[in-house]
Amino acid sequence: CKTWTSPTVRKCLNPTWGSDGSGLAVDFPVHCESQQLHIKVFDWDFSSSDDLIGIAASLDINELLTACRGNNTVSSTEVPLLSAAGEPGAGTLVVSAEWLELRALRPEPPLQGPSIAHLSAKILHATGIPGGMDSPFTVRLRVTAGDNADIAITPAGATVASEDTGCEDSSGQPQHQPSLLGTMAKGIAALRSSKTNPMPNSPMTLCAEAATSASHPQASLGLAEGLQSACTALAGRGESADEIATLLGVQRHQVDSFLDIQRDSAKTCKAAKEALVNAVARPCFDEVLQLLLPSRVGDEHVLLELALLDKHQKCAGNLQLPFSQVLEADGLCLEGPFKLDGGAELAGSLQLRWLA
């Protein structure tokens, strides 16, 4: 799911968003037509938490987009708001929607909107992880773009802006020079970045970011964890291995292997140790990260960064790919494995699709 919060419109009981009153646009990926849109409206309080003043009934995505899908039109609907107590009369909210498709060919002219493309990263598993790392692991995907603004990016992703102080030269003309604070901030950020997260010479701005869930050990060829207690109970009742396999819908050798380990404590201990080693040596993710790329990534210097992090957020490997590699890949799909610095590898792929 994705959450978005609008800017605050102050001192108005009939707020209209957008500088020209045409509203604000935000993109949401739709994976299933049964998805729903949930909307809540709050007031703004300076000294206390914001008050909930209106809740919209859940909007079914399929119903919201029926009028515009396939017609390249924008559909609008008035949504009644209920009070926090569930009573009607809390106002109405006008919501517009437009259906965008994912295509391999970039549309001409380019799409005008908050996002222009959809990047998916299939993350399967990692191998070759250096020593001293603790599981579980996560994989972080970042998209950064070149920026003409005078900023520097720290390893943590924060921006440090340089400040200018105005002074006059001998002719009395204004002259702008970097302040001591700005110069020190940029120097410290550049020093840290060069040691822990090298970046290109031009300043970069973080455009999009996503991370996987915690890794899990590689799936065993033995009996699935959810069936193990049932297998033990059936064996305790005197059922044969063939009968247990039939009842659980598994292979006979899976039942034999599990029961054999249960009878031998040494084998149980060995299996537990192997699972622990496997969790560190070959963590599995089996997950797809999805990012909506903002319009700025289309024309500027763009980097894709894959980072493998252990449970302490210690970097076990990092890779920076030029966005052009995905654009030049066959079918806009770049296949792994991706070799990270430090020796680790990530199995998976990157795929780009344009919004149109």
Side-chain angles (χ1 to χ4, degrees):
C1 62
K2 177 179 177 179
T3 301
W4 175 77
T5 302
S6 75
T8 300
V9 178
R10 302 187 186 185
K11 300 180 180 180
C12 181
L13 297 179
N14 298 288
T16 299
W17 283 268
S19 58
D20 57 355
S22 60
L24 299 175
V26 60
D27 293 322
F28 288 90
V30 175
H31 310 289
C32 176
E33 292 187 356
S34 62
Q35 284 179 240
Q36 292 184 325
L37 184 65
H38 303 275
I39 302 176
K40 295 181 179 180
V41 180
F42 295 82
D43 74 350
W44 178 82
D45 290 318
F46 175 75
S47 59
S48 62
S49 60
D50 298 341
D51 297 323
L52 177 63
I53 60 175
I55 305 174
S58 298
L59 298 175
D60 187 83
I61 294 295
N62 187 36
E63 294 180 4
L64 187 64
L65 300 177
T66 297
C68 61
R69 184 188 287 113
N71 297 323
N72 293 325
T73 59
V74 177
S75 65
S76 297
T77 182
E78 269 196 10
V79 182
L81 299 177
L82 303 177
S83 68
E87 299 294 332
T92 58
L93 186 69
V94 178
V95 178
S96 299
E98 182 180 9
W99 177 261
L100 300 176
E101 296 181 347
L102 301 180
R103 298 179 181 177
L105 294 178
R106 187 173 185 177
E108 290 294 342
L111 184 70
Q112 299 298 316
S115 304
I116 62 168
H118 176 273
L119 178 68
S120 60
K122 181 187 292 184
I123 310 295
L124 299 178
H125 60 262
T127 55
I129 298 175
M133 300 293 170
D134 296 321
S135 66
F137 295 87
T138 57
V139 174
R140 184 187 67 205
L141 172 63
R142 281 178 171 175
V143 180
T144 57
D147 192 353
N148 293 327
D150 194 10
I151 61 174
I153 302 297
T154 69
T159 60
V160 181
S162 66
E163 300 176 1
D164 285 351
T165 56
C167 60
E168 295 181 353
D169 59 15
S170 58
S171 63
Q173 295 299 318
Q175 184 180 22
H176 293 281
Q177 297 179 350
S179 69
L180 178 60
L181 176 62
T183 303
M184 290 178 64
K186 289 184 65 178
I188 293 172
L191 179 61
R192 290 175 177 172
S193 181
S194 65
K195 290 181 177 180
T196 60
N197 191 20
M199 300 291 285
N201 293 330
S202 60
M204 305 295 287
T205 298
L206 181 64
C207 295
E209 179 177 353
T212 65
S213 303
S215 63
H216 55 84
Q218 183 181 9
S220 171
L221 297 179
L223 201 60
E225 184 176 353
L227 300 177
Q228 293 177 5
S229 59
C231 181
T232 301
L234 291 171
R237 285 166 40 186
E239 303 287 352
S240 68
D242 284 328
E243 291 170 329
I244 295 174
T246 300
L247 289 171
L248 299 182
V250 297
Q251 299 296 318
R252 163 68 185 270
H253 70 84
Q254 293 176 286
V255 175
D256 288 336
S257 175
F258 173 71
L259 294 178
D260 186 40
I261 290 176
Q262 295 301 302
R263 297 187 192 103
D264 190 332
S265 59
K267 290 183 178 179
T268 301
C269 183
K270 180 181 179 182
K273 289 182 178 179
E274 289 178 351
L276 182 60
V277 171
N278 188 38
V280 178
R282 196 176 189 274
C284 293
F285 303 93
D286 301 319
E287 190 172 340
V288 177
L289 300 179
Q290 303 188 61
L291 292 176
L292 288 170
L293 305 184
S295 57
R296 67 177 304 159
V297 305
D299 302 309
E300 300 185 42
H301 179 65
V302 179
L303 286 179
L304 307 180
E305 180 196 54
L306 286 168
L308 180 64
L309 309 173
D310 77 351
K311 72 174 185 179
H312 305 295
Q313 295 300 296
K314 184 179 179 181
C315 186
N318 181 283
L319 172 66
Q320 291 183 345
L321 291 170
F323 187 58
S324 57
Q325 287 193 20
V326 180
L327 295 177
E328 295 168 1
D330 187 24
L332 298 181
C333 184
L334 187 62
E335 296 288 347
F338 302 103
K339 295 185 179 181
L340 313 182
D341 59 8
E345 285 191 357
L346 278 178
S349 60
L350 296 170
Q351 179 177 276
L352 180 76
R353 288 294 181 265
W354 299 103
L355 300 181

